[in-house]
Amino acid sequence: MASFGKFDGVDFSQINIESLTPELRQLGQGFRCVRGEFVTYWKQGRIQREADAYLCQCWLVRVEDALAGYITLLADKLEVEDALLIQEGVKYRTFPSVKIGLLAVDRRTKGLGVRLMEWAIDYVITEVVPVIGVRFITVDALYDFDVEPAYDASGFYEKLGFEFADPTEALPPINPYRTMYLDLKPLMEELAIEELDENQL
Amino acid sequence: MKYPLHTQSKPVSGIAAKKLLEAIDAGGSVVNDRVLALAKRIAARRRKAQKNG
C-alpha cells in the first residue's frame, strides 16, 4: 500500500515534467521506490551516464528539491517473429518504436506513474511522430518471480492499453520482464477526432 | 531479481503477431477500449493545459 506524507497534497495530474539537466542531477536525496534498483540506478549516476552517452533521454518530476519520479525514453523496434512473416508473405519485419526504458516514482506519490506515462505518450505523438516515423511505444514490464507474490508490472501498462508481445508466454518468463506494446495509430486518430469535436463547439 | 538497466524487446509472436500483421496489412491498428479511454484523458489534459495557458 502506498504511504504518503512527503508529497501530501501534491496534485500530480498536471505537474510539470522536466528534462534532466546537469543542475538537476543532485536531486534524489530521500528518493524511495518500491523497487530499490530504481533508486540505485539514479543514485549511482547510471541513468545520467546513459543520457550523456545518448543511449536514452531522461525526464523527471520534482517537488521543490525532492525527486518524485523519472522516466527514460529511447529508440526501439518492435519485431515480429520470422516464421509467421514467411508464412504470411508480409514485407515488414520490424516497426519503428519508442521504448519506455525506466519508470520510477517515489512510493509516497499518488498517480505520478500514470502522469509520466501519459505525458511520455503525448510527447512522442506531438514531438517525435511529426519528424520521424514511430508507430509503437514499447515497454519491458518487470516480472520478478524471486519475490512472493511475484512482482508483475504488466497490469499497470495493460490499464493504459498496452498489449503483450506474447500473451501466451510461459510464466515466469526467461528474462525478468514481459515485452508489451502500444499502437499509436488508433490513439492519434482518436485524438484527432477529439480535437475536431472541440473545434466545432 | 533486479530489473536490468538494459532490456531487449522480445518479438511479437503467435496470435499477437497475426493480429498485428493483419491490422497493419489492412491499414488498421491494434486497438482496445483502454486505448480509447487513454486518448480521451490525453485530450482532456491538453484542453486543461491550454485553458490554463
Side-chain angles (χ1 to χ4, degrees):
Chain A
M1 191 173 177
S3 59
F4 307 113
K6 188 174 185 179
F7 299 105
D8 268 354
V10 178
D11 176 11
F12 287 103
S13 67
Q14 295 277 338
I15 199 158
N16 187 42
I17 291 160
E18 301 173 75
S19 178
L20 175 62
T21 60
E23 297 75 39
L24 295 176
R25 292 179 180 203
Q26 84 288 352
L27 296 177
Q29 193 73 26
F31 185 51
R32 292 185 205 164
C33 290
V34 172
R35 299 286 310 192
E37 64 265 49
F38 292 92
V39 177
T40 306
Y41 290 153
W42 179 273
K43 289 191 174 173
Q44 289 180 341
R46 295 181 70 177
I47 295 161
Q48 292 86 338
R49 286 198 293 277
E50 297 260 314
D52 286 345
Y54 302 105
L55 298 176
C56 73
Q57 290 296 338
C58 179
W59 281 266
L60 59 88
V61 168
R62 61 176 163 148
V63 176
E64 295 172 359
D65 286 333
L67 178 67
Y70 67 83
I71 188 168
T72 66
L73 301 179
L74 62 152
D76 194 22
K77 62 178 180 183
L78 187 66
E79 201 168 353
V80 179
E81 66 175 353
D82 287 352
L84 190 80
L85 287 161
I86 294 162
Q87 287 166 16
E88 303 285 327
V90 176
K91 55 186 173 181
Y92 296 109
R93 182 185 168 188
T94 60
F95 301 96
S97 311
V98 168
K99 185 174 199 164
I100 307 295
L102 299 171
L103 170 64
V105 296
D106 191 292
R107 65 187 184 208
R108 292 160 292 183
T109 63
K110 194 179 176 187
L112 182 55
V114 171
R115 167 65 179 142
L116 281 165
M117 279 301 296
E118 291 185 356
W119 170 84
I121 293 164
D122 198 13
Y123 181 81
V124 171
I125 289 172
T126 55
E127 303 293 333
V128 184
V129 169
V131 291
I132 190 166
V134 175
R135 174 66 188 256
F136 298 98
I137 291 187
T138 58
V139 68
D140 291 327
L142 172 61
Y143 190 103
D144 181 1
F145 49 89
D146 282 347
V147 293
E148 184 62 36
Y151 185 95
D152 181 4
S154 65
F156 170 77
Y157 297 105
E158 253 191 313
K159 283 182 191 164
L160 290 166
F162 279 75
E163 304 264 351
F164 287 104
D166 182 2
T168 60
E169 184 175 25
L171 300 178
I174 296 165
N175 311 102
Y177 56 83
R178 300 188 71 191
T179 296
M180 303 178 80
Y181 69 92
L182 180 77
D183 191 348
L184 292 173
K185 186 170 185 279
L187 196 54
M188 291 187 285
E189 288 170 349
E190 191 64 22
L191 280 166
I193 293 168
E194 290 275 337
E195 205 165 293
L196 197 65
D197 289 348
E198 176 72 10
N199 291 338
Q200 286 172 348
L201 286 178
Chain B
M1 191 177 283
K2 282 182 185 172
Y3 187 75
L5 192 58
H6 298 283
T7 62
Q8 189 171 352
S9 298
K10 299 171 194 174
V12 184
S13 59
I15 51 169
K18 196 168 162 48
K19 185 166 104 172
L20 176 65
L21 293 176
E22 281 175 357
I24 288 178
D25 208 34
S29 56
V30 178
V31 65
N32 56 51
D33 290 345
R34 296 176 300 277
V35 170
L36 300 178
L38 172 63
K40 289 192 188 309
R41 288 198 303 277
I42 290 174
R45 185 170 287 122
R46 283 181 181 180
R47 281 195 292 271
K48 200 170 175 182
Q50 207 169 18
K51 208 172 170 182
N52 296 338

